[in-house]
């Protein structure tokens, strides 16, 4: 979508520190990490938020969650535990309006986002 920074990351117009990529999704490091491990999982196609997900996207969302779990294992944070979270809308704390799942771990998390 025009003007969307995560669409620009998908297209390579904005650089990102990629952790994983396939034809449907991209995983990259958050530019302002809130924890020792802070990755973002995004679909390559623009979906505004989890609230906009349709039945046709359920396989894609499942793939994002499954990949997030595999990334947590690969990052070495799965044994002690981690958080997988997606913010939706203004009061949900969503700043970038392209659905993304945060993977946070590597320290004791607490509070709202840790
Ligand atoms: P939200 O608040 O929308 O759930 O989270 C947006 C996240 O995207 C924030 O954690 C922010 O640090 C991250 N972010 C915003 N712009 C960029 C960028 O250009 N590159 C990367 N790697 N992360 C970004
Ligand atoms: Zn987008």
């Amino acid at each position: 979508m025009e003007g969307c920074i995560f669409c620009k990351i998908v297209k390579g117009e904005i650089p990102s520190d990629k952790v994983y990529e396939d034809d449907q999704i991209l995983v990259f490091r958050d530019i302002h990490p809130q924890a020792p491990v802070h990755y973002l999982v995004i679909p390559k196609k623009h979906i505004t938020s989890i609230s906009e997900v349709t039945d046709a996207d359920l396989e894609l969302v499942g793939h994002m969650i499954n990949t997030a779990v595999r990334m947590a294992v690969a990052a070495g944070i799965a044994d002690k535990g981690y958080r997988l979270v997606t913010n939706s809308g203004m009061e949900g704390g969503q700043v970038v309006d392209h659905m993304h799942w945060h993977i946070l771990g590597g320290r004791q998390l607490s509070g709202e986002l840790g």
Side-chain angles (χ1 to χ4, degrees):
M1 181 183 260
E2 198 67 35
C4 170
I5 57 170
F6 285 180
C7 283
K8 287 182 179 165
I9 284 177
V10 169
K11 286 187 248 168
E13 294 172 6
I14 293 175
S16 65
D17 192 352
K18 289 179 194 170
V19 180
Y20 173 82
E21 180 173 17
D22 64 27
D23 56 332
Q24 295 185 86
I25 67 172
L26 187 62
V27 184
F28 54 97
R29 287 188 169 81
D30 196 290
I31 204 164
H32 293 125
Q34 308 288 313
V37 175
H38 188 173
Y39 298 162
L40 300 174
V41 185
I42 69 168
K44 286 193 168 178
K45 85 166 189 178
H46 184 91
I47 300 174
T48 302
S49 77
I50 193 79
S51 300
E52 313 300 322
V53 164
T54 67
D55 287 354
D57 300 318
L58 292 182
E59 201 173 315
L60 172 63
V61 173
H63 179 50
M64 292 176 74
I65 293 170
N66 186 49
T67 302
V69 170
R70 288 197 293 109
M71 294 299 108
V73 171
I77 58 173
D79 285 349
K80 286 189 172 177
Y82 60 95
R83 186 167 296 164
L84 180 60
V85 65
T86 187
N87 298 326
S88 183
M90 192 181 62
E91 290 202 354
Q94 185 175 12
V95 174
V96 178
D97 288 335
H98 179 131
M99 180 171 66
H100 51 279
W101 292 77
H102 298 259
I103 306 170
L104 293 149
R107 69 171 170 85
Q108 179 61 56
L109 300 172
S110 60
E112 295 190 341
L113 232 194

